[in-house]
Amino acid sequence: MKIDFFQDYTMTIDGAPAKSNTTFDAFNPATEEVIAKIPDASRAQLEAAVASAKRAFPAWSARPLAERQALVAKIGDAIEARAEDFMRLLTMEQGKARKGAEWEIGGSVIWCREIAKQELPMHVAERTETRTVETRRVPVGVVGAITPWNFPVLLAIWKIAPALVAGNTMILKPSPYTALCTLKLGEILCDILPPGVLNVVSGGNDLGAWLTGHPDVRKISFTGSTATGRKIMASASGNLKRITLELGGNDPAIVLPDVDVKETAEKLFWAAFQNSAQFCVAAKRLYIHEDIYDDLAAELVSYARTVKVGDGLKQGTDLGPIQNRMQFEKLKDLLSDAKTNGCRFLLGGTVSDEPGFFVPITIIDNPSEDSRVVVEEAFGPILPLLKFNDLEDVIARANDTEYGLAASVWSKDIKAARRIAERIEAGTVWVNEIHTFSPHVAFGGHKQSGIGIENAINGLAEYTNSQTLVVNSA
Ligand code: NAD
């Protein structure tokens, strides 16, 4: 089927395109122009999608693993074949610049191919002539997947690939802010997957709530904010759905005094501002040892001045706008709070009136530990630099948050850095590097940053139940 990526966005229900009676607008965040109409699924359409996934489940789960793996690898091929269209559309709807779009779409291809190689081993507890006791993994059933607006394609693939390899069927609901690429993904996969294996529905938060409360949905895999994660956990309790929640973070980066300041400044800049800091694992609190604080702050500011913020579709742009007005207004409010409370801005801080949801790269000089820019997850390019001189103190400050997603430690003294890393309450702690993800490495949050794991065998296992088979042949 010939698919035009830049018009006619339809949902995918039971292997066929589905329009809706009502639509809502998709905006380009760099220009604030309406770029498309997004179908707004009715409750009946959600019911149809769930019924379709339920019908498709017996045949899909019974298919040999190798066939499911091959089809998931083919999803990667299909994305690769339309990579240029995906990247352009991703920039148009999300705002990210070309390099970021390449990372996300290229990553999606790799994830499909690599997850397609995974399988869960069976555990044999006993095998004698007359008796076997084995624990194997069986799929859960119909999975509801809900994704956010910062990495709409990659984070959907993190769910689709393992869920389908494990033998589940799915209803995928993208964020209403970034539904376009996901809708096109559903459309192109109609040629690859049997009807009902992957349904894609778009709509607002109500649609998400219908999905998480649906009695025929047996698992929810959610990526988004901690506030929504709490609601989902409550709503999933009706039929004791399995849940995987990948939620917010307020990641600390701890910088010891022995680092090469210039080199580390550049790495820390990207650690904090990649994807315009709309990144769950962005370094959001930068703890710098007082001996190098002034030098590192100066290097960060000077590097930041070389980075171009603008329309992601224009050549030479490094960082795009904030993805949506809601987040844009939230960031403006955070900036005004910082100003009211006397924070000192080393860079940025003033939002222009030009069209587009642009927030300048903003670096704040040692605000108080209880200020909103430190305590809250900004999810935008506002970075507090914080001074420390005592390791025990900085570890306590780093851990003094409801979040526990990730962290990083920077030092030439690997032993010292490792000792600190081991004491950070977070699901991933990087030492002297950051944001290196792999389909074969477990990722998940501690504390209120989430429940469960994505990626690796651990992530695959989350789409299964254990089944113990005891067979007596005596
Ligand atoms: P959000 O929680 O507002 O929305 C996420 C998704 O949930 C959207 O699809 C939304 O429509 C849906 N939703 C909203 N209310 C719902 C409800 N009551 N029931 C069911 N679904 C509902 O999050 P966001 O603003 O899109 O994303 C930003 C957040 O996501 C940040 O906090 C960020 O840290 C987090 N995030 C976490 C990870 C991770 O892997 N841990 C990755 C990316 C983003």
Side-chain angles (χ1 to χ4, degrees):
M1 196 177 23
K2 177 129 182 43
I3 289 169
D4 183 341
F5 260 58
F6 301 97
Q7 56 186 347
D8 299 331
Y9 297 90
T10 58
M11 302 185 285
T12 298
I13 299 176
D14 203 26
K19 295 200 159 123
S20 64
N21 293 334
T22 53
T23 58
F24 55 98
D25 292 336
F27 294 90
N28 178 339
T31 60
E32 299 182 46
E33 283 161 357
V34 175
I35 51 170
K37 298 279 177 202
I38 301 173
D40 193 3
S42 65
R43 182 128 203 184
Q45 286 178 311
L46 190 261
E47 290 296 336
V50 174
S52 160
K54 198 175 167 186
R55 267 195 314 277
F57 176 68
W60 179 252
S61 56
R63 242 172 134 142
L65 172 67
E67 286 186 22
R68 294 198 305 261
Q69 289 172 322
L71 285 171
V72 167
K74 269 192 169 181
I75 298 176
D77 298 344
I79 297 172
E80 190 173 53
R82 302 297 300 258
E84 276 301 327
D85 289 332
F86 268 117
M87 288 190 286
R88 188 171 173 79
L89 186 59
L90 182 58
T91 297
M92 283 169 66
E93 70 168 335
Q94 205 285 331
K96 64 186 66 192
R98 171 77 189 192
K99 230 175 165 180
E102 282 173 4
W103 187 83
E104 176 160 356
I105 300 304
S108 301
V109 175
I110 293 169
W111 248 258
C112 289
R113 291 179 178 154
E114 291 302 309
I115 300 277
K117 295 175 187 161
Q118 294 178 348
E119 73 179 284
L120 292 162
M122 184 170 69
H123 176 71
V124 180
E126 186 183 321
R127 185 171 283 159
T128 66
E129 270 187 20
T130 57
R131 193 166 181 266
T132 58
V133 180
E134 300 160 349
T135 300
R136 63 187 195 117
R137 311 293 307 205
V138 295
V140 173
V142 175
V143 173
I146 300 177
T147 48
W149 45 260
N150 56 348
F151 294 93
V153 182
L154 185 62
L155 295 179
I157 292 297
W158 282 23
K159 302 182 188 313
I160 297 169
L164 268 49
V165 164
N168 304 277
T169 56
M170 177 174 273
I171 297 107
L172 169 64
K173 189 203 88 63
S175 165
Y177 294 119
T178 51
L180 301 181
C181 282
T182 315
L183 291 170
K184 286 296 160 194
L185 180 65
E187 291 175 34
I188 64 171
L189 296 186
C190 280
D191 284 347
I192 294 176
L193 298 170
V197 169
L198 176 68
N199 299 273
V200 180
V201 290
S202 48
N205 297 348
D206 282 354
L207 178 64
W210 297 337
L211 185 60
T212 59
H214 200 291
D216 288 338
V217 175
R218 297 203 187 135
K219 177 185 170 79
I220 294 291
S221 179
F222 169 75
T223 303
S225 64
T226 295
T228 307
R230 287 191 199 103
K231 288 187 200 158
I232 286 176
M233 195 166 174
S235 147
S237 70
N239 64 340
L240 292 183
K241 287 182 181 64
R242 278 66 183 138
I243 47 172
T244 300
L245 304 177
E246 294 290 355
L247 309 178
N250 195 1
D251 296 2
I254 299 176
V255 191
L256 301 192
D258 63 353
V259 298
D260 178 319
V261 168
K262 199 173 166 65
E263 203 182 283
T264 311
E266 184 174 337
K267 291 181 185 165
L268 288 171
F269 176 85
W270 291 109
F273 293 104
Q274 195 62 263
N275 210 42
S276 297
Q278 301 162 110
F279 199 0
C280 52
V281 289
K284 292 177 183 141
R285 295 174 291 150
L286 205 47
Y287 290 100
I288 305 169
H289 193 278
E290 64 179 11
D291 289 356
I292 54 162
Y293 182 92
D294 290 341
D295 289 350
L296 186 52
E299 284 295 344
L300 268 169
V301 169
S302 113
Y303 185 79
R305 288 191 200 281
T306 69
V307 173
K308 176 137 181 40
V309 179
D311 183 340
L313 285 179
K314 294 207 173 121
Q315 249 197 345
T317 299
D318 298 308
L319 292 175
I322 299 309
Q323 198 280 323
N324 58 70
R325 178 170 293 283
M326 176 274 302
Q327 187 64 19
F328 181 58
E329 296 297 335
K330 214 176 117 186
L331 291 168
K332 285 202 290 192
D333 179 57
L334 203 56
L335 285 176
S336 103
D337 175 83
K339 279 184 191 154
T340 313
N341 286 296
C343 286
R344 199 168 91 86
F345 289 79
L346 298 177
L347 189 69
T350 305
V351 176
S352 87
D353 294 332
E354 303 285 301
F357 304 137
F358 289 101
V359 171
I361 297 165
T362 297
I363 300 179
I364 301 184
D365 184 18
N366 205 25
S368 72
E369 198 72 20
D370 62 355
S371 57
R372 280 184 57 200
V373 282
V374 178
V375 175
E376 292 181 18
E377 179 190 34
F379 218 62
I382 305 172
L383 178 69
L385 307 187
L386 300 147
K387 218 179 263 190
F388 76 91
N389 60 19
D390 176 77
L391 280 185
E392 288 303 317
D393 169 60
V394 79
I395 292 168
R397 287 159 71 190
N399 284 334
D400 186 17
T401 162
E402 66 184 23
Y403 295 112
L405 193 55
S408 59
V409 185
W410 304 81
S411 172
K412 286 189 182 132
D413 184 342
I414 303 302
K415 277 192 185 146
R418 203 193 152 102
R419 274 198 301 274
I420 296 168
E422 286 172 356
R423 291 179 60 194
I424 302 296
E425 298 168 348
T428 301
V429 188
W430 286 283
V431 173
N432 295 331
E433 63 173 55
I434 194 163
H435 302 158
T436 39
F437 292 96
S438 157
H440 305 297
V441 175
F443 175 72
H446 292 190
K447 301 196 281 189
Q448 293 192 48
S449 286
I451 291 181
I453 293 291
E454 288 198 298
N455 301 330
I457 291 298
N458 322 50
L460 187 60
E462 299 228 351
Y463 289 95
T464 63
N465 285 316
S466 286
Q467 183 185 56
T468 296
L469 277 178
V470 183
V471 178
N472 190 326
S473 54

